[in-house]
Amino acid sequence: MEKFQHVIRSVEELEQLAGKPRELVNQKVVASLDRHCRHFISLSPLVFVATSGADGSCDCSPRGDAPGFAYILDEHHLILPERPGNRRYDSLRNLLENPRIGLIFVIPGLEETLRVNGKACIVRDPDLMERMSAHGKTPAAGIAVEVEECYIHCAKAFKRSRLWQTDAWPEAESLPDPAAIIAAHAGKLRLSTEEVRASLAESYEKRLY
């Protein structure tokens, strides 16, 4: 970090800069999936999963499906089905080295999110996998989370970004082309943008579940 001249290196410096949290912020954390958390998760079709490896390298990836796809086993445990992906298994590899996990559940149109933190492992219990079947396909594995804390995250990020306000969205023709980006980043393979686009389409059409 030699590029930066003013780096904060202590909690004391941070608190001098930003202040300390209000008591409500400290007290809003609960240690289990109460009825409010369960209701929130039942309406969420998308969760962001944060993990880190033994060396501290971090990863954050989305998981999405029909609302309520995260299976709540009891007040202290939930399971995320592991649907087919790119087979890098970044989150799962990290969990094999470091069980700590952070989740952010999102509900479309709602600016507050639900944060869930705890420990996780990769499970394959047949009866649990069957309960998370979708479109005739049973997941081969799931991420089981032992919940340690849950709390509502304020809406400031969504308000600032105006994420749910369609008038703030960029025009469709100005959006990045994912196929072109992948073709450029994987240049050694000498694949054209159209070849990558066809590969993506085939994956989305045939390997969602």
Side-chain angles (χ1 to χ4, degrees):
M1 292 296 176
E2 295 140 355
K3 185 177 182 67
F4 305 101
Q5 298 179 5
H6 304 284
V7 178
I8 293 175
R9 302 188 184 278
S10 71
V11 174
E12 289 74 23
E13 289 180 278
L14 183 62
E15 290 181 343
Q16 287 176 4
L17 176 70
K20 296 183 178 181
R22 294 188 303 162
E23 194 59 24
L24 176 60
V25 174
N26 290 327
Q27 293 299 321
K28 70 179 181 178
V29 181
V30 296
S32 63
L33 298 168
D34 66 2
R35 65 183 179 88
H36 301 292
C37 295
R38 294 160 82 106
H39 182 220
F40 196 108
I41 293 171
S42 75
L43 297 177
S44 173
L46 181 68
V47 61
F48 291 93
V49 180
T51 59
S52 63
D55 62 355
S57 57
C58 298
D59 180 73
C60 184
S61 64
R63 298 289 193 281
D65 213 320
F69 73 97
Y71 180 69
I72 297 176
L73 190 59
D74 57 40
E75 290 186 348
H76 297 283
H77 300 87
L78 64 83
I79 306 174
L80 302 175
E82 187 67 13
R83 309 292 187 198
N86 58 16
R87 298 178 185 151
R88 281 177 53 106
Y89 304 120
D90 295 301
S91 299
L92 303 187
R93 289 176 185 271
N94 282 345
L95 290 174
L96 291 174
E97 299 177 353
N98 176 4
R100 308 308 303 183
I101 192 168
L103 308 174
I104 296 182
F105 287 94
V106 179
I107 298 175
L110 181 64
E111 293 179 320
E112 285 79 9
T113 55
L114 177 69
R115 292 176 62 168
V116 177
N117 297 319
K119 294 180 290 188
C121 61
I122 306 165
V123 298
R124 298 188 61 194
D125 302 49
D127 58 329
L128 296 176
M129 297 304 101
E130 188 63 34
R131 294 182 192 183
M132 295 185 292
S133 294
H135 297 267
K137 300 291 182 66
T138 301
I143 297 175
V145 179
E146 182 180 347
V147 175
E148 295 180 345
E149 59 178 12
C150 312
Y151 56 96
I152 291 293
H153 192 99
C154 78
K156 289 179 180 177
F158 281 75
K159 288 185 178 298
R160 293 176 186 133
S161 64
R162 301 180 67 201
L163 183 66
W164 302 128
Q165 299 177 39
T166 56
D167 66 306
W169 293 0
E171 297 295 329
E173 57 270 18
S174 71
L175 294 175
D177 183 347
I181 295 172
I182 294 173
H185 288 179
K188 290 182 179 179
L189 299 181
R190 299 185 181 277
L191 294 172
S192 69
T193 296
E194 288 310 314
E195 287 175 314
V196 173
R197 199 186 318 282
S199 176
L200 289 174
E202 193 268 343
S203 175
Y204 297 153
E205 291 170 5
K206 299 182 179 179
R207 294 194 298 279
L208 273 185
Y209 291 91

